[in-house]
Amino acid sequence: MRIHPSILSADFGKFAEELKTIATSDSAHVDVMDNHFVPNLTFGLPVVKRLNEISEIPLDIHLMIEKVDTEGPMYADLGVDSVTFHLEASENPLGLARRIRSAGVKAAVAIKPKTDVNLVLDLLAEVDMLLVMTVEPGFGGQKLIPETLPKVAEAHQAIVASGKQISLQVDGGVTELNIAELARLGADNFVAGSAVFGHADRAEQIARLRAAAEMGFTSR
Ligand code: DX5
Ligand code: ZN
């Protein structure tokens, strides 16, 4: 059960300090938004490059950008831990996943709440992680969309059927109240923005989320 705090909810004025507060997490989730694929703009390659230099924990890059086929590989070449691209944005998802992996970086494919899980089945052989978005991408602090829960179970079953070691990530509205249920349904990798950075003691909150996820896992 891996916890990835999203720095979208951190104080952008002090990333170095904010990253230190989440040192007990598995990686820092970095939301790259281009104001085209989603109606919000965060940071791009130069900032992510610097974050990767100063962070003591690995970076999990979530690309919410339109030109992902050309720009995605540049993030992989920074030597981050993982690069996630959206199926909806890529014209050549198979080629992109292979290109990311060829940089020695984990490749992941993400689907938005209304995108069918069946559309990623062919890609499972070429990725390390599948991200099922549990909110519409673009902003932190939204409520999890309940209709995405059956998709988490469906995605888990598809992964089991593939026989591959693929991590199942959920992102959006994950809190200590729903994380056990998400783990029970098959998620093993949890992004949490406001549920971590909204608390003064981040280490305590990360531990609380992880413990709740473990409980959900044991009830599978
Ligand atoms: C939304 C981003 C998320 C966001 C999650 O588009 O992909 O990573 O930061 O924030 P919370 O956990 O607050 O919903
Ligand atoms: Zn994200």
Side-chain angles (χ1 to χ4, degrees):
M1 300 295 109
R2 296 166 61 87
I3 308 294
H4 309 276
S6 166
I7 61 164
L8 185 62
S9 293
D11 182 341
F12 281 22
K14 47 174 191 177
F15 276 134
E17 283 169 58
E18 292 285 71
L19 283 166
K20 281 198 173 68
T21 69
I22 56 165
T24 56
S25 71
D26 295 283
S27 80
H29 181 84
V30 179
D31 290 303
V32 176
M33 305 185 186
D34 67 351
N35 216 17
H36 292 277
F37 183 71
V38 287
N40 196 5
L41 183 67
T42 53
F43 25 70
L45 198 65
V47 174
V48 175
K49 179 174 187 283
R50 187 69 189 126
L51 290 172
N52 195 42
E53 285 164 0
I54 64 169
S55 181
E56 288 161 21
I57 53 172
L59 300 189
D60 170 38
I61 310 299
H62 178 190
L63 299 176
M64 286 159 275
I65 60 174
E66 220 169 62
K67 294 183 185 162
V68 75
D69 291 308
T70 49
E71 293 176 13
M74 299 179 197
Y75 289 87
D77 290 342
L78 293 178
V80 295
D81 189 55
S82 54
V83 171
T84 302
F85 63 87
H86 269 268
L87 182 71
E88 301 88 355
S90 177
E91 284 173 12
N92 179 11
L94 203 67
L96 182 55
R98 286 181 181 154
R99 172 66 179 81
I100 292 167
R101 278 179 149 185
S102 75
V105 170
K106 291 176 202 143
V109 61
I111 51 172
K112 297 204 282 185
K114 292 186 190 114
T115 303
D116 202 311
V117 171
N118 289 318
L119 296 175
V120 292
L121 296 185
D122 288 349
L123 266 178
L124 291 183
E126 306 283 343
V127 295
D128 303 282
M129 183 167 85
L130 170 58
L131 164 55
V132 172
M133 288 300 299
T134 41
V135 299
E136 285 298 338
F139 300 92
Q142 304 181 73
K143 275 208 162 59
L144 179 141
I145 301 169
E147 288 77 22
T148 62
L149 293 179
K151 285 182 69 183
V152 176
E154 204 186 328
H156 175 61
Q157 273 136 31
I159 288 170
V160 171
S162 78
K164 305 267 178 209
Q165 284 286 340
I166 300 167
S167 188
L168 179 55
Q169 186 175 65
V170 284
D171 180 9
V174 176
T175 70
E176 58 272 35
L177 299 177
N178 57 27
I179 195 167
E181 175 65 0
L182 289 160
R184 193 184 67 78
L185 294 173
D188 53 60
N189 189 312
F190 307 87
V191 176
S194 42
V196 170
F197 286 100
H199 292 257
D201 191 336
R202 278 80 187 261
E204 188 182 85
Q205 188 62 9
I206 289 162
R208 188 176 293 144
L209 288 165
R210 202 180 267 130
E214 298 286 355
M215 257 180 49
F217 174 74
T218 51
S219 69
R220 271 187 200 171

